[in-house]
Amino acid sequence: MEKTNPNIDEMAVLNPKVFANPTLATKIYPPLKQVIFGKYTYRNQRDTDSLKEMVSKPEKVSYVEREDGHRVYKMFVPINDGDVLYVALNYDRMSQPIYRLSMVLIVFGLIGLIALFFTTARFFNRIYENISKIKSQIKLLETRDFTARSKVSDRGELNELSASTNHMAETLQTVLRDTDEQVEQTQRLSVLLESEASKTMEKIYTMSMKETADGRAAAEGFMDFLDRVESKLQSIPDTSETSVLMDEITRIRNLVKKRTEATTDMTLTLADLLTSLHEEAVKLSDIAARLQGNLSGFKL
């Protein structure tokens, strides 16, 4: 039988009944043949057992075995009149295209994996670089450098995080700049207030002491005058008019005394107020100086 397919090693039509009962090939006439047509040389006990079983159970049987140093794929297919079509295919030759295709697929798969690896590595490397930028910015913010900004080339959540961090830094920078300006202005005003309070306190203290001394001198002179008038009235006969004058002198003396005490108290109160104002101005100046010192540590 001429092979029409290079993958077919041999092909034949077999009679499974003769394999099951070999006497059919010798005791009947005309004798039956095991191989009705074709070539069947790759025979073994497994083939014989399969053919015997197909007499009572005609079903397709196939398996792979090694013959003549190569693998052979055998098929036994039931056909008409109880015969069996036998085909032996060169399994190694048949599998070569599949093997080559498998190798091609493996090569392309490896190339794809390598490309995927580099793409993934590049992706994660970009993510790592963006995270490093944001991390570096946060570290600079921790050192009070509010000029630090991060530029992230990403459209995802890292970009939003970078934008939020930059906005926070800009807001803090603006607030601290305004605070620094206000503190500087407060420092100038507190120094000016301290100086003015000191000068004003000295002026008012001098004026109040002078006015108090003049007032006391005038009061003492007036009280002396009242004492002489009272002494003079006591030397004349007591009348209703002199009694009225004596009462008036007593009332005026008490009034002068109260006014003198009130002037002294007002002078002392004003002096205490100016002293307190000066002390508060000094404290305010110290607070402004400390705030300015703290803000000087920020890079704006």
Side-chain angles (χ1 to χ4, degrees):
M1 178 182 177
E2 184 179 357
K3 294 192 288 185
T4 60
N5 191 324
N7 294 326
I8 299 177
D9 282 355
E10 57 184 17
M11 181 184 297
V13 177
L14 308 178
N15 190 340
K17 296 178 181 178
V18 181
F19 284 89
N21 186 6
T23 59
L24 296 177
T26 58
K27 292 185 178 182
I28 65 173
Y29 186 84
L32 301 178
K33 298 179 180 181
Q34 290 182 339
V35 180
I36 301 174
F37 177 81
K39 180 182 178 181
Y40 177 47
T41 59
Y42 297 153
R43 61 175 67 193
N44 54 39
Q45 186 60 42
R46 184 178 181 182
D47 297 345
T48 302
D49 294 338
S50 298
L51 289 168
K52 289 179 180 180
E53 187 177 353
M54 292 178 70
V55 174
S56 59
K57 191 176 181 181
E59 294 181 353
K60 176 184 174 182
V61 178
S62 62
Y63 43 84
V64 178
E65 288 187 339
R66 182 167 291 277
E67 301 287 348
D68 292 340
H70 64 278
R71 291 178 297 174
V72 177
Y73 180 71
K74 294 180 177 181
M75 289 189 300
F76 297 91
V77 182
I79 57 178
N80 296 332
D81 300 329
D83 296 335
V84 173
L85 175 63
Y86 159 73
V87 180
L89 301 174
N90 192 317
Y91 189 81
D92 289 341
R93 190 180 296 117
M94 290 174 56
S95 61
Q96 284 181 359
I98 300 176
Y99 175 77
R100 287 194 296 269
L101 180 60
S102 299
M103 291 302 296
V104 171
L105 292 176
I106 290 173
V107 171
F108 277 104
L110 289 175
I111 294 174
L113 287 176
I114 293 173
L116 179 63
F117 170 76
F118 282 108
T119 302
T120 305
R122 183 179 178 184
F123 172 74
F124 282 105
N125 185 53
R126 186 171 69 252
I127 292 178
Y128 177 76
E129 289 178 355
N130 292 334
I131 293 176
S132 298
K133 291 178 181 178
I134 298 175
K135 186 177 179 181
S136 299
Q137 180 189 12
I138 293 175
K139 286 185 176 180
L140 289 175
L141 292 176
E142 289 177 352
T143 61
R144 300 184 177 185
D145 182 4
F146 287 94
T147 62
R149 300 291 184 271
S150 60
K151 296 181 180 179
V152 174
S153 56
D154 191 275
R155 296 183 180 179
E157 295 181 354
L158 288 178
N159 186 28
E160 295 180 1
L161 178 60
S162 175
S164 298
T165 307
N166 290 336
H167 181 68
M168 179 190 68
E170 291 174 0
T171 302
L172 290 174
Q173 186 181 29
T174 303
V175 171
L176 289 175
R177 281 178 177 174
D178 293 341
T179 303
D180 185 59
E181 293 177 359
Q182 296 298 325
V183 168
E184 185 177 356
Q185 185 177 1
T186 303
Q187 175 72 10
R188 291 196 301 267
L189 293 176
S190 62
V191 172
L192 181 61
L193 178 62
E194 179 184 355
S195 177
E196 292 296 327
S198 179
K199 293 178 181 179
T200 303
M201 183 178 66
E202 291 179 1
K203 291 180 180 180
I204 292 179
Y205 182 75
T206 302
M207 292 174 60
S208 63
M209 291 299 294
K210 183 177 181 303
E211 292 296 329
T212 301
D214 292 344
R216 285 182 175 274
E220 288 177 357
F222 190 68
M223 294 292 285
D224 184 62
F225 172 74
L226 291 178
D227 289 339
R228 290 199 303 271
V229 172
E230 185 180 15
S231 177
K232 187 65 176 177
L233 290 175
Q234 289 177 353
S235 64
I236 63 176
D238 187 13
T239 62
S240 59
E241 186 176 356
T242 57
S243 297
V244 172
L245 290 174
M246 291 293 291
D247 293 338
E248 189 66 22
I249 290 172
T250 301
R251 187 183 68 79
I252 293 174
R253 183 185 287 114
N254 292 333
L255 180 61
V256 171
K257 184 178 180 181
K258 289 181 180 179
R259 292 295 177 86
T260 303
E261 292 176 354
T263 302
T264 303
D265 291 340
M266 183 178 66
T267 301
L268 294 175
T269 301
L270 183 60
D272 292 339
L273 177 61
L274 291 174
T275 302
S276 177
L277 181 61
H278 181 267
E279 291 176 354
E280 294 300 326
V282 172
K283 290 180 181 179
L284 182 61
S285 179
D286 293 339
I287 293 174
R290 287 197 299 271
L291 286 175
Q292 198 168 25
N294 292 333
L295 289 172
S296 63
F298 292 94
K299 186 175 180 181
L300 305 176

